[in-house]
Amino acid sequence: MNERIRELAEQSGLIAPYGSDHEGLRDFDYKKFAELIIVECATVINKNAGPFTTGPGYLLLEHFGVYEE
């Protein structure tokens, strides 16, 4: 698994942090996981375009209804 996706999975509760390799769905927030992936993609798309006010990264966030705060 890509290290960044692993980090996002931990942030959303899919994978337990602190070296535990047990995966479970009890605390998994699939909406947060999806939003984290979308924001990550928008960040990569707009890497050199500045803040998320215009451009393809913003359009991606707008399309999925995810706005970086």
Side-chain angles (χ1 to χ4, degrees):
M1 179 183 305
N2 175 293
E3 184 59 31
R4 185 62 184 134
I5 291 183
R6 181 175 198 65
E7 291 170 4
L8 299 177
E10 286 179 9
Q11 289 177 29
S12 62
L14 179 61
I15 298 174
Y18 313 116
S20 174
D21 221 10
H22 288 85
E23 297 180 15
L25 298 177
R26 190 173 76 167
D27 297 325
F28 178 53
D29 184 345
Y30 69 91
K31 290 180 183 179
K32 181 174 182 174
F33 187 52
E35 288 179 359
L36 289 169
I37 291 173
I38 292 165
V39 169
E40 185 78 10
C41 291
T43 300
V44 171
I45 290 170
N46 270 16
K47 187 174 183 179
N48 297 317
F52 291 125
T53 55
T54 60
Y58 178 78
L59 294 175
L60 180 68
L61 295 176
E62 189 176 55
H63 175 77
F64 285 103
V66 179
Y67 299 95
E68 186 167 72
E69 299 174 17

